[in-house]
Structure formats: structure tokens, C-alpha cells
Amino acid sequence: MAHHEKNTAHTEILVGHISRLTAENQAQKNHQLRDRRDLEARLDETERFVTILQHDLRLGPLQAVFEHVWKLQPYSSLRHAYSTPGSGVLSSGVLCVNTPGYRMELVADVCRPAPGSVQALHLGLKMRIHPGEHDGLLPWPFAHRIRLVLVNQFDDAESRRFELDTSTAHHARDCLKKPAENAPNPMFGYSQVIPIPLLENEKKGFLVHNCVVVKLIVFTAD
């Protein structure tokens, strides 16, 4: 009899222990279910946020290489610019390199020789970075490789190419920094791209039908 009572008590202890384990297991499952639902809700919220952000920013596919062709046409406008006192530059207008992206401007000017020099006038091609509404999303300083091309319209092999590795252009640090809110950075680029007499010799292929072609290439994947 005593042995039977002992077995009964032991069984009750085991049943109680199993009941507690079952309850703890169910509580853990309920907790995991709540965590999973919370995670799914956070993922849904993140997805909605990304959708809203893409809509607000009007994100386009990021291009590994950005290219822009600038036609200085009619060329006579450039000739007029550098021959008119107080003038001397032409602008491409502000370009957006990817969306969202850096805002850049191409500038054509004429480098005049020092007084008394016999050196010819030269065409200069320069760039400057303008402030943009998405500058806070972009890495600074600007560190993408840039290529400027003065296109030879007769023979591309004769085109003049100038490449700038901005990641090592420490001398241009002020030009490549994040611009102030209301002012573009200083210009950077090349002052002597081609002598003006050579440029204006229409047999050479740089000036065709009163048009000079410049190409800006930014290697945005670098």
C-alpha cells in the first residue's frame, strides 16, 4: 500500500512537471509568434518607407558611367564671349549625375596668354559642383573619375581626352568638397585644351558646321 502511494505521488509530481513544461513551451511559442508578427510588421513598414523614399526621390537606375554631350553651337557665340569685355565663358547649365546625384556644370572659356607672350589663345574646359537637394545622401568629397573629351568630328581617334582621378586630386580639395547651400564650389579642369587657331581650322575636325562638341564622362561606379 505504501509503495502504491509512493508511486502515485511520484506520478503526480511528473504530471505537474510536464504541465509546467507544457505551459512554458506554449508561452515560448506565443512569445515567438508575437516576435515574428512584430518582425513582419517592421519589414512591412520598412518596405513602405523605401517605396515612399523612391517616389519622393524619383530614383532612376544608377548608371555605372554617366555621359553628357554638350554642343557649343553656334561656335560664334563662344567667339563673341571671349572677344567681349566682361564676358568670356559659356555654360552647359547644371547637370544631374544620376538621380539622386551630384549637380555639375561644364564651363568653356578662353585662356589668354600673359602680356607680351607669343602663345596663342587656348580653349579651356572646366567643371564646378553645385549644391543639390540630395547632397546629404551623397558621399563627400566627390571622388569619381572624370573624363573630358573634345570630340574630333572627322576622326574620333584624334579627339582630345583629359582624365582626372578626383580621388587623388588633393590640390582640388576645395573644388570637390560638399558645396555650401547657396554657392557652387570653385571651378576645376583644364585651361589649355586646344589652341584657338587650331580649333577654328575647320579642316582639322574640331569645328564642323559652326559646332564644337564636348563630352563629359563620369565613372560613377569607381
Side-chain angles (χ1 to χ4, degrees), residues 70 72 75 78-79 82 88 90 107-112 120-126 149-151 160 162 190-197 199-200 206 212-214:
W70 181 27
L72 284 69
Y75 170 75
L78 178 61
R79 181 188 291 116
Y82 72 72
L90 289 180
V107 174
D109 63 4
V110 172
C111 177
R112 300 178 182 276
L121 296 174
H122 277 73
L123 174 70
L125 292 176
K126 302 185 178 81
V149 183
L150 177 64
V151 177
R160 297 197 169 198
F162 301 83
Y190 303 92
S191 297
Q192 297 188 346
V193 172
I194 189 172
I196 293 297
L199 175 69
E200 294 185 348
F206 295 103
V212 173
V213 179
V214 174

Side-chain angles (χ1 to χ4, degrees), residues 94-96 101-105 128-136 138 140 177-186:
V94 179
L95 314 170
C96 190
Y102 301 94
R103 291 171 58 82
M104 301 182 69
E105 175 191 13
R128 59 184 162 197
I129 298 174
H130 285 254
E133 59 181 319
H134 303 309
D135 284 351
L138 303 172
W140 297 97
K177 66 184 180 182
K178 182 179 178 180
E181 185 175 348
N182 297 314
N185 286 350

Side-chain angles (χ1 to χ4, degrees), residues 19-81:
S19 297
R20 285 194 300 275
L21 289 176
T22 301
E24 290 173 0
N25 185 53
Q26 186 61 45
Q28 187 175 13
K29 287 182 178 179
N30 292 339
H31 182 70
Q32 290 174 343
L33 180 61
R34 287 194 299 271
D35 286 348
R36 185 164 60 248
R37 288 173 177 170
D38 289 344
L39 178 60
E40 289 174 351
R42 288 196 294 270
L43 290 175
D44 288 342
E45 182 64 24
T46 300
E47 188 174 337
R48 284 194 295 272
F49 176 76
V50 170
T51 300
I52 293 171
L53 183 63
Q54 288 177 329
H55 179 268
D56 289 346
L57 296 179
R58 298 179 294 278
L59 287 173
L62 295 180
Q63 304 294 325
V65 178
F66 170 85
E67 292 191 18
H68 177 76
V69 176
W70 181 27
K71 293 185 177 181
L72 284 69
Q73 189 178 31
Y75 170 75
S76 53
S77 61
L78 178 61
R79 181 188 291 116
H80 175 75

